[in-house]
């Protein structure tokens, strides 16, 4: 009846008998009999270790943590800025929505216009920059790892500039992005 009311009691009973066996001394039982009991009842760590999939040590240490203020202090709210609020959100959506017709139009209409191609390349660079910037903002909080975040933002700016220069060079000195896609598609 007790096991129906307390399911943990059933799980605790074997552990209690194992603890009792381990407390017996060699003076009460001869040594070979004690070794036989130890082999018969494996330790808890050997039973669990076979089914564990996690490590005891982490691959990377946790980020630095500090508590600012007390538990009763309100969370600081950042200053509202329309350029980084609703305007930023609207700009992201316009760029994303603009990529759809610019991606389909050159192939559907059959015309390979260099102006359309350059606008497509510019929007791809801006769209990629905004997406990677959001990843950096999410994964590297400014309050916890300011130097890593600054380095990642500068690396993103350098990569965006290099991509823009490379696409400009490809557009002016070679066939262009849409023509390259057409040639790859037909190859």
């Amino acid at each position: 009846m007790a096991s129906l009311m307390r399911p943990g009691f059933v799980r605790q009973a074997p552990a209690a008998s194992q603890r009792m066996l381990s407390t017996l001394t060699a003076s009460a039982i001869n040594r070979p009999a004690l070794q036989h009991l130890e082999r018969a009842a494996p330790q808890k760590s050997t039973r669990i270790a076979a089914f564990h999939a996690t490590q005891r040590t982490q691959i990377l240490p946790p980020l630095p943590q500090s508590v600012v203020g007390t538990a009763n202090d309100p969370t600081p709210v950042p200053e509202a800025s329309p350029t980084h609020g609703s305007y930023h959100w609207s700009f992201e959506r316009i760029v994303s929505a603009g990529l759809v017709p610019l991606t389909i139009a050159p192939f559907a209409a059959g015309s390979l216009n260099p102006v359309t191609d350059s606008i497509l390349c510019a929007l791809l660079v801006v769209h990629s920059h905004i997406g990677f910037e959001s990843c950096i903002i999410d994964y590297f909080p400014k309050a916890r790892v300011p130097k890593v975040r600054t380095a990642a933002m500068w690396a993103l700016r350098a990569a965006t500039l290099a991509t823009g220069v490379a696409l400009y060079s490809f557009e002016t000195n070679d066939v262009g992005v849409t023509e390259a896609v057409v040639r790859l598609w037909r190859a």
Side-chain angles (χ1 to χ4, degrees):
M1 183 68 176
S3 64
L4 291 175
M5 298 175 80
R6 290 183 48 207
F9 180 74
V10 176
R11 289 188 297 269
Q12 292 171 358
S17 64
Q18 213 170 21
R19 281 192 300 267
M20 185 178 69
L21 282 176
S22 64
T23 57
L24 294 175
T25 61
S27 61
I29 301 176
N30 59 8
R31 193 69 188 156
L34 184 61
Q35 288 174 351
H36 174 69
L37 287 175
E38 287 175 352
R39 280 192 303 261
Q43 295 296 323
K44 186 177 181 181
S45 62
T46 58
R47 288 183 293 179
I48 293 175
F51 298 106
H52 267 246
T54 58
Q55 292 178 313
R56 290 180 186 244
T57 58
Q58 294 181 351
I59 295 173
L60 294 174
L63 295 174
Q65 300 177 12
S66 62
V67 177
V68 178
T70 65
N72 294 327
D73 292 340
T75 302
V77 178
E79 287 292 323
S81 170
T83 58
H84 200 70
S86 63
Y87 296 155
H88 187 261
W89 187 87
S90 299
F91 178 71
E92 286 178 351
R93 298 309 168 267
I94 289 169
V95 168
S96 298
L99 279 172
V100 175
L102 282 172
T103 305
I104 298 170
F107 306 109
S111 67
L112 301 173
N113 189 351
V115 175
T116 309
D117 210 20
S118 62
I119 293 171
L120 173 65
C121 289
L123 285 182
L124 280 173
V125 170
V126 169
H127 180 73
S128 299
H129 179 84
I130 290 171
F132 282 115
E133 183 182 38
S134 297
C135 292
I136 291 171
I137 289 169
D138 287 346
Y139 288 110
F140 301 113
K142 195 176 205 175
R144 293 176 73 188
V145 284
K147 292 180 182 177
V148 173
R149 181 172 175 169
T150 303
M153 290 299 256
W154 279 105
L156 174 64
R157 290 178 189 125
T160 301
L161 182 66
T163 304
V165 168
L167 284 174
Y168 174 77
S169 174
F170 189 66
E171 285 294 319
T172 56
N173 300 330
D174 210 342
V175 293
V177 173
T178 53
E179 179 63 28
V181 170
V182 167
R183 288 183 183 184
L184 285 172
W185 188 265
R186 292 182 183 157

